[in-house]
Amino acid sequence: LQLSALSPDNEFSRQERLAAAIGFLSDPDSKTRLDATLLVRAYRLTPAECTLAQELLTGDSIEKISKRLGLSPNTLKTQLKAIFAKTDTNRQAQLVKLLTAFAMPT
């Protein structure tokens, strides 16, 4: 279970119903993968951005992902900002929600 805080002005809140967090439930034994070709066609993500998008689905922090990929956290944060701009998302929770629609079981 991955929980992410939401800002008060998120797209999940409706009138008096304030959504404060979003949860993503996944089976850790069930691996998923993103179709990089589809992400490139839909959002013009670079190969490096596709790799980061795939890693974000693990629920790990940018710091953990940076160690795994051998890249600096600042590099990944720059890539994440580019992904936000290309996918018209503003937060990691929004992005993960979008990416799960593209995820396929392996």
Side-chain angles (χ1 to χ4, degrees):
L1 175 65
Q2 178 185 356
L3 295 174
S4 296
L6 295 171
S7 67
D9 61 339
N10 65 74
E11 75 263 23
F12 303 106
S13 294
R14 299 285 183 257
Q15 297 170 352
E16 71 279 347
R17 295 179 58 197
L18 176 65
I22 187 168
F24 299 95
L25 183 62
S26 61
D27 179 357
D29 294 329
S30 174
K31 302 290 184 199
T32 59
R33 70 171 184 83
L34 293 171
D35 183 343
T37 304
L38 188 57
L39 289 176
V40 169
R41 283 193 308 205
Y43 298 106
R44 301 190 189 280
L45 297 188
T46 66
E49 292 164 353
C50 288
T51 299
L52 177 55
Q54 178 66 54
E55 291 293 327
L56 290 171
L57 288 181
T58 66
D60 288 340
S61 68
I62 290 292
E63 288 73 22
K64 262 189 172 178
I65 295 170
S66 74
K67 288 178 185 174
R68 191 165 44 246
L69 297 179
L71 298 169
S72 78
N74 287 337
T75 297
L76 295 183
K77 288 175 186 176
T78 299
Q79 291 175 355
L80 184 58
K81 286 180 186 178
I83 295 171
F84 285 156
K86 291 177 180 182
T87 59
D88 197 28
T89 57
N90 299 308
R91 293 173 204 73
Q92 213 166 311
Q94 269 184 307
L95 178 60
V96 169
K97 178 187 174 206
L98 174 74
L99 293 174
T100 55
F102 287 90
M104 300 176 291
T106 57

Short mmCIF file of all heavy atoms in Angstrom, two decimals, residues 26-89:
data_model
loop_
_atom_site.label_atom_id
_atom_site.label_comp_id
_atom_site.label_asym_id
_atom_site.label_seq_id
_atom_site.Cartn_x
_atom_site.Cartn_y
_atom_site.Cartn_z
N SER A 26 -1.13 -2.44 -4.39
CA SER A 26 -0.60 -3.34 -5.40
C SER A 26 -0.04 -4.58 -4.75
O SER A 26 0.30 -4.58 -3.56
CB SER A 26 0.49 -2.64 -6.22
OG SER A 26 1.55 -2.27 -5.39
N ASP A 27 0.04 -5.63 -5.51
CA ASP A 27 0.62 -6.88 -5.04
C ASP A 27 2.11 -6.84 -5.34
O ASP A 27 2.51 -6.78 -6.51
CB ASP A 27 -0.05 -8.04 -5.78
CG ASP A 27 0.49 -9.39 -5.38
OD1 ASP A 27 1.44 -9.46 -4.56
OD2 ASP A 27 -0.03 -10.40 -5.89
N PRO A 28 2.96 -6.84 -4.30
CA PRO A 28 4.40 -6.74 -4.54
C PRO A 28 4.96 -7.91 -5.34
O PRO A 28 6.01 -7.80 -5.96
CB PRO A 28 5.01 -6.68 -3.14
CG PRO A 28 3.97 -7.21 -2.24
CD PRO A 28 2.64 -6.96 -2.89
N ASP A 29 4.27 -9.04 -5.33
CA ASP A 29 4.72 -10.19 -6.10
C ASP A 29 4.28 -10.11 -7.56
O ASP A 29 4.74 -10.88 -8.39
CB ASP A 29 4.20 -11.49 -5.48
CG ASP A 29 4.79 -11.73 -4.11
OD1 ASP A 29 5.95 -11.30 -3.87
OD2 ASP A 29 4.10 -12.32 -3.26
N SER A 30 3.37 -9.21 -7.85
CA SER A 30 2.88 -9.04 -9.22
C SER A 30 3.58 -7.83 -9.83
O SER A 30 3.30 -6.69 -9.48
CB SER A 30 1.37 -8.83 -9.21
OG SER A 30 0.92 -8.54 -10.51
N LYS A 31 4.49 -8.08 -10.72
CA LYS A 31 5.26 -7.01 -11.34
C LYS A 31 4.47 -6.42 -12.51
O LYS A 31 3.76 -7.13 -13.22
CB LYS A 31 6.61 -7.53 -11.86
CG LYS A 31 7.46 -8.17 -10.79
CD LYS A 31 7.97 -7.14 -9.83
CE LYS A 31 8.89 -7.79 -8.82
NZ LYS A 31 9.08 -7.04 -7.64
N THR A 32 4.61 -5.12 -12.65
CA THR A 32 3.99 -4.44 -13.79
C THR A 32 5.07 -3.69 -14.55
O THR A 32 6.13 -3.38 -14.00
CB THR A 32 2.90 -3.44 -13.34
OG1 THR A 32 3.49 -2.49 -12.47
CG2 THR A 32 1.74 -4.13 -12.65
N ARG A 33 4.79 -3.42 -15.79
CA ARG A 33 5.73 -2.64 -16.58
C ARG A 33 4.95 -1.67 -17.44
O ARG A 33 3.78 -1.88 -17.75
CB ARG A 33 6.62 -3.53 -17.43
CG ARG A 33 5.93 -4.22 -18.57
CD ARG A 33 6.92 -4.92 -19.50
NE ARG A 33 6.21 -5.48 -20.62
CZ ARG A 33 5.86 -4.80 -21.71
NH1 ARG A 33 6.15 -3.54 -21.82
NH2 ARG A 33 5.21 -5.38 -22.69
N LEU A 34 5.63 -0.60 -17.77
CA LEU A 34 5.04 0.40 -18.65
C LEU A 34 5.49 0.14 -20.07
O LEU A 34 6.62 -0.27 -20.30
CB LEU A 34 5.48 1.80 -18.22
CG LEU A 34 4.98 2.27 -16.87
CD1 LEU A 34 5.67 3.56 -16.47
CD2 LEU A 34 3.48 2.46 -16.90
N ASP A 35 4.62 0.40 -21.01
CA ASP A 35 4.98 0.31 -22.42
C ASP A 35 5.63 1.64 -22.80
O ASP A 35 4.95 2.65 -23.00
CB ASP A 35 3.72 0.05 -23.25
CG ASP A 35 4.01 -0.13 -24.72
OD1 ASP A 35 5.11 0.26 -25.18
OD2 ASP A 35 3.13 -0.63 -25.42
N ALA A 36 6.96 1.64 -22.88
CA ALA A 36 7.70 2.87 -23.17
C ALA A 36 7.29 3.46 -24.51
O ALA A 36 7.18 4.68 -24.65
CB ALA A 36 9.20 2.61 -23.13
N THR A 37 7.03 2.63 -25.49
CA THR A 37 6.64 3.11 -26.82
C THR A 37 5.35 3.91 -26.72
O THR A 37 5.21 4.98 -27.33
CB THR A 37 6.46 1.93 -27.80
OG1 THR A 37 7.67 1.18 -27.82
CG2 THR A 37 6.13 2.41 -29.19
N LEU A 38 4.42 3.42 -25.94
CA LEU A 38 3.15 4.11 -25.75
C LEU A 38 3.35 5.44 -25.03
O LEU A 38 2.76 6.45 -25.40
CB LEU A 38 2.19 3.21 -24.98
CG LEU A 38 0.75 3.68 -24.85
CD1 LEU A 38 0.12 3.91 -26.21
CD2 LEU A 38 -0.05 2.65 -24.07
N LEU A 39 4.22 5.46 -24.00
CA LEU A 39 4.49 6.70 -23.29
C LEU A 39 5.18 7.73 -24.19
O LEU A 39 4.90 8.92 -24.09
CB LEU A 39 5.35 6.44 -22.06
CG LEU A 39 4.68 5.71 -20.91
CD1 LEU A 39 5.68 5.43 -19.79
CD2 LEU A 39 3.51 6.49 -20.37
N VAL A 40 6.05 7.25 -25.05
CA VAL A 40 6.72 8.16 -25.99
C VAL A 40 5.70 8.75 -26.96
O VAL A 40 5.69 9.96 -27.21
CB VAL A 40 7.85 7.43 -26.74
CG1 VAL A 40 8.38 8.28 -27.89
CG2 VAL A 40 8.98 7.07 -25.79
N ARG A 41 4.82 7.91 -27.49
CA ARG A 41 3.81 8.39 -28.44
C ARG A 41 2.80 9.31 -27.78
O ARG A 41 2.41 10.33 -28.34
CB ARG A 41 3.08 7.22 -29.10
CG ARG A 41 3.88 6.55 -30.18
CD ARG A 41 3.03 5.63 -30.99
NE ARG A 41 2.31 4.70 -30.12
CZ ARG A 41 1.88 3.52 -30.48
NH1 ARG A 41 2.05 3.11 -31.71
NH2 ARG A 41 1.26 2.75 -29.65
N ALA A 42 2.35 8.95 -26.57
CA ALA A 42 1.30 9.72 -25.91
C ALA A 42 1.83 11.02 -25.31
O ALA A 42 1.14 12.04 -25.35
CB ALA A 42 0.65 8.88 -24.82
N TYR A 43 3.04 10.99 -24.75
CA TYR A 43 3.53 12.15 -23.99
C TYR A 43 4.91 12.64 -24.42
O TYR A 43 5.43 13.58 -23.82
CB TYR A 43 3.56 11.82 -22.49
CG TYR A 43 2.20 11.51 -21.95
CD1 TYR A 43 1.83 10.21 -21.63
CD2 TYR A 43 1.25 12.51 -21.79
CE1 TYR A 43 0.57 9.92 -21.14
CE2 TYR A 43 -0.01 12.24 -21.31
CZ TYR A 43 -0.35 10.93 -20.99
OH TYR A 43 -1.60 10.66 -20.51
N ARG A 44 5.49 11.99 -25.41
CA ARG A 44 6.83 12.36 -25.90
C ARG A 44 7.89 12.30 -24.79
O ARG A 44 8.78 13.14 -24.71
CB ARG A 44 6.82 13.73 -26.56
CG ARG A 44 5.88 13.82 -27.74
CD ARG A 44 6.09 15.11 -28.50
NE ARG A 44 5.07 15.32 -29.52
CZ ARG A 44 5.05 14.76 -30.72
NH1 ARG A 44 5.98 13.92 -31.06
NH2 ARG A 44 4.09 15.04 -31.57
N LEU A 45 7.77 11.28 -23.93
CA LEU A 45 8.78 11.10 -22.89
C LEU A 45 10.07 10.59 -23.52
O LEU A 45 10.05 9.82 -24.48
CB LEU A 45 8.31 10.09 -21.83
CG LEU A 45 7.09 10.44 -21.00
CD1 LEU A 45 6.90 9.41 -19.88
CD2 LEU A 45 7.15 11.83 -20.42
N THR A 46 11.19 11.00 -22.96
CA THR A 46 12.48 10.50 -23.39
C THR A 46 12.69 9.11 -22.80
O THR A 46 12.00 8.72 -21.85
CB THR A 46 13.62 11.42 -22.91
OG1 THR A 46 13.68 11.35 -21.48
CG2 THR A 46 13.41 12.86 -23.39
N PRO A 47 13.67 8.35 -23.30
CA PRO A 47 13.96 7.05 -22.69
C PRO A 47 14.28 7.16 -21.19
O PRO A 47 13.83 6.34 -20.40
CB PRO A 47 15.16 6.54 -23.49
CG PRO A 47 15.00 7.17 -24.84
CD PRO A 47 14.44 8.55 -24.54
N ALA A 48 15.03 8.19 -20.80
CA ALA A 48 15.36 8.37 -19.38
C ALA A 48 14.10 8.67 -18.57
O ALA A 48 13.94 8.16 -17.45
CB ALA A 48 16.37 9.50 -19.21
N GLU A 49 13.19 9.46 -19.11
CA GLU A 49 11.93 9.76 -18.42
C GLU A 49 11.06 8.51 -18.32
O GLU A 49 10.39 8.30 -17.30
CB GLU A 49 11.20 10.89 -19.13
CG GLU A 49 11.90 12.22 -19.02
CD GLU A 49 11.43 13.27 -20.01
OE1 GLU A 49 10.63 12.95 -20.92
OE2 GLU A 49 11.88 14.43 -19.87
N CYS A 50 11.07 7.67 -19.33
CA CYS A 50 10.32 6.41 -19.29
C CYS A 50 10.87 5.50 -18.19
O CYS A 50 10.10 4.85 -17.48
CB CYS A 50 10.37 5.70 -20.64
SG CYS A 50 9.41 6.48 -21.94
N THR A 51 12.19 5.45 -18.06
CA THR A 51 12.81 4.65 -17.01
C THR A 51 12.38 5.15 -15.64
O THR A 51 12.02 4.36 -14.77
CB THR A 51 14.35 4.69 -17.13
OG1 THR A 51 14.72 4.14 -18.40
CG2 THR A 51 15.02 3.92 -16.02
N LEU A 52 12.42 6.47 -15.44
CA LEU A 52 11.99 7.03 -14.16
C LEU A 52 10.51 6.74 -13.92
O LEU A 52 10.12 6.37 -12.81
CB LEU A 52 12.25 8.53 -14.11
CG LEU A 52 11.78 9.25 -12.84
CD1 LEU A 52 12.35 8.60 -11.58
CD2 LEU A 52 12.12 10.72 -12.91
N ALA A 53 9.68 6.87 -14.94
CA ALA A 53 8.25 6.58 -14.80
C ALA A 53 8.05 5.15 -14.33
O ALA A 53 7.25 4.89 -13.42
CB ALA A 53 7.53 6.83 -16.12
N GLN A 54 8.78 4.21 -14.92
CA GLN A 54 8.68 2.81 -14.51
C GLN A 54 9.09 2.66 -13.04
O GLN A 54 8.43 1.97 -12.28
CB GLN A 54 9.58 1.94 -15.39
CG GLN A 54 9.59 0.47 -15.01
CD GLN A 54 8.27 -0.22 -15.22
OE1 GLN A 54 7.71 -0.18 -16.30
NE2 GLN A 54 7.75 -0.85 -14.19
N GLU A 55 10.16 3.30 -12.65
CA GLU A 55 10.64 3.21 -11.28
C GLU A 55 9.65 3.82 -10.27
O GLU A 55 9.53 3.33 -9.16
CB GLU A 55 12.00 3.89 -11.14
CG GLU A 55 13.13 3.16 -11.84
CD GLU A 55 13.45 1.81 -11.21
OE1 GLU A 55 13.33 1.67 -9.98
OE2 GLU A 55 13.84 0.90 -11.96
N LEU A 56 8.95 4.86 -10.68
CA LEU A 56 7.99 5.50 -9.77
C LEU A 56 6.86 4.54 -9.39
O LEU A 56 6.28 4.66 -8.31
CB LEU A 56 7.42 6.77 -10.41
CG LEU A 56 8.40 7.93 -10.54
CD1 LEU A 56 7.78 9.04 -11.38
CD2 LEU A 56 8.82 8.44 -9.17
N LEU A 57 6.56 3.60 -10.26
CA LEU A 57 5.49 2.64 -9.96
C LEU A 57 5.86 1.69 -8.82
O LEU A 57 4.99 1.04 -8.27
CB LEU A 57 5.12 1.83 -11.21
CG LEU A 57 4.35 2.59 -12.28
CD1 LEU A 57 4.03 1.67 -13.45
CD2 LEU A 57 3.09 3.21 -11.74
N THR A 58 7.16 1.62 -8.47
CA THR A 58 7.56 0.77 -7.35
C THR A 58 7.15 1.37 -6.02
O THR A 58 7.12 0.68 -5.01
CB THR A 58 9.10 0.56 -7.33
OG1 THR A 58 9.73 1.81 -7.05
CG2 THR A 58 9.60 -0.04 -8.63
N GLY A 59 6.87 2.69 -6.01
CA GLY A 59 6.52 3.36 -4.77
C GLY A 59 7.72 3.83 -3.99
O GLY A 59 7.57 4.40 -2.91
N ASP A 60 8.92 3.58 -4.50
CA ASP A 60 10.13 4.01 -3.81
C ASP A 60 10.32 5.52 -3.94
O ASP A 60 9.81 6.15 -4.87
CB ASP A 60 11.36 3.29 -4.37
CG ASP A 60 11.41 1.83 -3.98
OD1 ASP A 60 10.74 1.45 -3.00
OD2 ASP A 60 12.12 1.06 -4.66
N SER A 61 11.10 6.07 -3.03
CA SER A 61 11.41 7.49 -3.04
C SER A 61 12.41 7.81 -4.15
O SER A 61 13.11 6.92 -4.65
CB SER A 61 12.00 7.91 -1.69
OG SER A 61 13.28 7.32 -1.53
N ILE A 62 12.50 9.08 -4.49
CA ILE A 62 13.48 9.54 -5.47
C ILE A 62 14.89 9.15 -5.01
O ILE A 62 15.73 8.75 -5.83
CB ILE A 62 13.37 11.06 -5.70
CG1 ILE A 62 12.07 11.41 -6.43
CG2 ILE A 62 14.57 11.61 -6.45
CD1 ILE A 62 12.00 10.93 -7.87
N GLU A 63 15.15 9.24 -3.72
CA GLU A 63 16.48 8.91 -3.19
C GLU A 63 16.81 7.44 -3.43
O GLU A 63 17.91 7.10 -3.84
CB GLU A 63 16.56 9.26 -1.70
CG GLU A 63 16.62 10.75 -1.43
CD GLU A 63 15.29 11.49 -1.65
OE1 GLU A 63 14.20 10.85 -1.60
OE2 GLU A 63 15.34 12.70 -1.90
N LYS A 64 15.84 6.55 -3.16
CA LYS A 64 16.06 5.11 -3.39
C LYS A 64 16.25 4.82 -4.88
O LYS A 64 17.11 4.04 -5.27
CB LYS A 64 14.87 4.30 -2.87
CG LYS A 64 15.06 3.71 -1.52
CD LYS A 64 13.90 2.76 -1.24
CE LYS A 64 14.15 2.00 0.02
NZ LYS A 64 13.05 1.12 0.36
N ILE A 65 15.42 5.45 -5.69
CA ILE A 65 15.51 5.24 -7.14
C ILE A 65 16.85 5.74 -7.65
O ILE A 65 17.48 5.10 -8.50
CB ILE A 65 14.32 5.91 -7.86
CG1 ILE A 65 13.00 5.25 -7.46
CG2 ILE A 65 14.52 5.88 -9.37
CD1 ILE A 65 11.75 5.99 -7.92
N SER A 66 17.31 6.87 -7.12
CA SER A 66 18.59 7.43 -7.59
C SER A 66 19.74 6.47 -7.29
O SER A 66 20.63 6.30 -8.12
CB SER A 66 18.86 8.80 -6.97
OG SER A 66 19.23 8.71 -5.63
N LYS A 67 19.71 5.83 -6.14
CA LYS A 67 20.75 4.85 -5.80
C LYS A 67 20.68 3.65 -6.73
O LYS A 67 21.70 3.15 -7.20
CB LYS A 67 20.62 4.42 -4.35
CG LYS A 67 21.04 5.50 -3.37
CD LYS A 67 20.85 5.06 -1.94
CE LYS A 67 21.17 6.21 -1.00
NZ LYS A 67 20.87 5.90 0.39
N ARG A 68 19.47 3.18 -7.00
CA ARG A 68 19.29 2.01 -7.86
C ARG A 68 19.76 2.29 -9.28
O ARG A 68 20.38 1.44 -9.93
CB ARG A 68 17.82 1.59 -7.83
CG ARG A 68 17.57 0.27 -8.45
CD ARG A 68 16.21 -0.35 -8.13
NE ARG A 68 15.07 0.53 -8.20
CZ ARG A 68 14.32 0.88 -7.14
NH1 ARG A 68 14.62 0.44 -5.94
NH2 ARG A 68 13.28 1.66 -7.29
N LEU A 69 19.47 3.51 -9.78
CA LEU A 69 19.83 3.85 -11.16
C LEU A 69 21.24 4.44 -11.28
O LEU A 69 21.74 4.61 -12.39
CB LEU A 69 18.81 4.83 -11.75
CG LEU A 69 17.38 4.33 -11.89
CD1 LEU A 69 16.49 5.43 -12.46
CD2 LEU A 69 17.32 3.09 -12.75
N GLY A 70 21.84 4.78 -10.15
CA GLY A 70 23.16 5.39 -10.19
C GLY A 70 23.15 6.82 -10.70
O GLY A 70 24.11 7.28 -11.32
N LEU A 71 22.04 7.51 -10.45
CA LEU A 71 21.89 8.91 -10.86
C LEU A 71 21.67 9.77 -9.63
O LEU A 71 21.17 9.29 -8.61
CB LEU A 71 20.71 9.06 -11.82
CG LEU A 71 20.80 8.29 -13.14
CD1 LEU A 71 19.46 8.31 -13.86
CD2 LEU A 71 21.90 8.89 -14.00
N SER A 72 21.99 11.05 -9.73
CA SER A 72 21.79 11.93 -8.58
C SER A 72 20.29 12.22 -8.40
O SER A 72 19.53 12.25 -9.37
CB SER A 72 22.55 13.24 -8.77
OG SER A 72 21.86 14.09 -9.65
N PRO A 73 19.88 12.45 -7.15
CA PRO A 73 18.49 12.82 -6.92
C PRO A 73 18.09 14.08 -7.69
O PRO A 73 16.96 14.18 -8.17
CB PRO A 73 18.43 13.05 -5.41
CG PRO A 73 19.53 12.23 -4.85
CD PRO A 73 20.62 12.28 -5.89
N ASN A 74 19.02 15.02 -7.84
CA ASN A 74 18.71 16.24 -8.58
C ASN A 74 18.42 15.96 -10.05
O ASN A 74 17.54 16.58 -10.64
CB ASN A 74 19.84 17.27 -8.45
CG ASN A 74 19.87 17.90 -7.08
OD1 ASN A 74 18.86 17.92 -6.37
ND2 ASN A 74 21.02 18.41 -6.68
N THR A 75 19.17 15.03 -10.63
CA THR A 75 18.90 14.64 -12.02
C THR A 75 17.49 14.07 -12.14
O THR A 75 16.74 14.42 -13.06
CB THR A 75 19.94 13.61 -12.50
OG1 THR A 75 21.23 14.21 -12.47
CG2 THR A 75 19.63 13.10 -13.91
N LEU A 76 17.13 13.20 -11.21
CA LEU A 76 15.79 12.59 -11.26
C LEU A 76 14.70 13.62 -11.00
O LEU A 76 13.64 13.56 -11.62
CB LEU A 76 15.69 11.44 -10.26
CG LEU A 76 16.60 10.24 -10.56
CD1 LEU A 76 16.35 9.13 -9.54
CD2 LEU A 76 16.41 9.72 -11.97
N LYS A 77 14.95 14.58 -10.12
CA LYS A 77 13.96 15.63 -9.87
C LYS A 77 13.76 16.48 -11.11
O LYS A 77 12.63 16.89 -11.42
CB LYS A 77 14.38 16.48 -8.68
CG LYS A 77 14.24 15.75 -7.35
CD LYS A 77 14.77 16.57 -6.19
CE LYS A 77 14.75 15.74 -4.92
NZ LYS A 77 15.36 16.46 -3.79
N THR A 78 14.83 16.73 -11.85
CA THR A 78 14.72 17.47 -13.11
C THR A 78 13.91 16.68 -14.12
O THR A 78 13.03 17.22 -14.79
CB THR A 78 16.13 17.79 -13.67
OG1 THR A 78 16.83 18.59 -12.73
CG2 THR A 78 16.04 18.51 -15.01
N GLN A 79 14.18 15.38 -14.21
CA GLN A 79 13.40 14.52 -15.11
C GLN A 79 11.94 14.47 -14.68
O GLN A 79 11.04 14.49 -15.53
CB GLN A 79 13.99 13.11 -15.15
CG GLN A 79 15.33 13.01 -15.83
CD GLN A 79 15.92 11.61 -15.74
OE1 GLN A 79 15.38 10.72 -15.09
NE2 GLN A 79 17.05 11.43 -16.41
N LEU A 80 11.70 14.41 -13.38
CA LEU A 80 10.33 14.35 -12.86
C LEU A 80 9.57 15.62 -13.23
O LEU A 80 8.41 15.55 -13.64
CB LEU A 80 10.34 14.13 -11.35
CG LEU A 80 8.99 13.96 -10.67
CD1 LEU A 80 8.22 12.78 -11.26
CD2 LEU A 80 9.19 13.76 -9.17
N LYS A 81 10.21 16.77 -13.12
CA LYS A 81 9.57 18.03 -13.51
C LYS A 81 9.20 18.00 -14.99
O LYS A 81 8.13 18.47 -15.38
CB LYS A 81 10.48 19.22 -13.21
CG LYS A 81 10.56 19.55 -11.75
CD LYS A 81 11.48 20.74 -11.52
CE LYS A 81 11.67 20.97 -10.03
NZ LYS A 81 12.60 22.08 -9.77
N ALA A 82 10.08 17.45 -15.82
CA ALA A 82 9.79 17.35 -17.25
C ALA A 82 8.61 16.42 -17.50
O ALA A 82 7.75 16.70 -18.34
CB ALA A 82 11.03 16.87 -18.01
N ILE A 83 8.55 15.32 -16.76
CA ILE A 83 7.43 14.38 -16.90
C ILE A 83 6.13 15.06 -16.48
O ILE A 83 5.10 14.92 -17.14
CB ILE A 83 7.66 13.09 -16.08
CG1 ILE A 83 8.86 12.32 -16.63
CG2 ILE A 83 6.42 12.21 -16.09
CD1 ILE A 83 9.30 11.16 -15.74
N PHE A 84 6.17 15.81 -15.37
CA PHE A 84 4.98 16.56 -14.94
C PHE A 84 4.49 17.47 -16.05
O PHE A 84 3.30 17.52 -16.36
CB PHE A 84 5.27 17.40 -13.70
CG PHE A 84 5.39 16.65 -12.40
CD1 PHE A 84 6.11 17.19 -11.35
CD2 PHE A 84 4.77 15.43 -12.19
CE1 PHE A 84 6.22 16.54 -10.13
CE2 PHE A 84 4.87 14.76 -10.99
CZ PHE A 84 5.60 15.32 -9.96
N ALA A 85 5.40 18.21 -16.65
CA ALA A 85 5.03 19.16 -17.71
C ALA A 85 4.43 18.44 -18.91
O ALA A 85 3.43 18.87 -19.48
CB ALA A 85 6.24 19.99 -18.12
N LYS A 86 5.04 17.32 -19.30
CA LYS A 86 4.58 16.60 -20.49
C LYS A 86 3.26 15.88 -20.27
O LYS A 86 2.49 15.68 -21.22
CB LYS A 86 5.65 15.61 -20.94
CG LYS A 86 6.90 16.28 -21.50
CD LYS A 86 7.96 15.27 -21.86
CE LYS A 86 9.21 15.95 -22.41
NZ LYS A 86 10.23 14.96 -22.80
N THR A 87 3.00 15.45 -19.03
CA THR A 87 1.77 14.71 -18.74
C THR A 87 0.68 15.59 -18.13
O THR A 87 -0.40 15.10 -17.80
CB THR A 87 2.06 13.54 -17.77
OG1 THR A 87 2.61 14.07 -16.55
CG2 THR A 87 2.99 12.52 -18.39
N ASP A 88 0.97 16.87 -17.99
CA ASP A 88 0.03 17.82 -17.40
C ASP A 88 -0.40 17.39 -16.00
O ASP A 88 -1.57 17.44 -15.64
CB ASP A 88 -1.19 18.02 -18.31
CG ASP A 88 -1.98 19.27 -17.95
OD1 ASP A 88 -1.37 20.22 -17.42
OD2 ASP A 88 -3.20 19.29 -18.17
N THR A 89 0.58 16.90 -15.24
CA THR A 89 0.35 16.56 -13.84
C THR A 89 1.20 17.50 -12.98
O THR A 89 2.13 18.12 -13.49
CB THR A 89 0.71 15.09 -13.54
OG1 THR A 89 2.07 14.85 -13.91
CG2 THR A 89 -0.21 14.13 -14.28
#
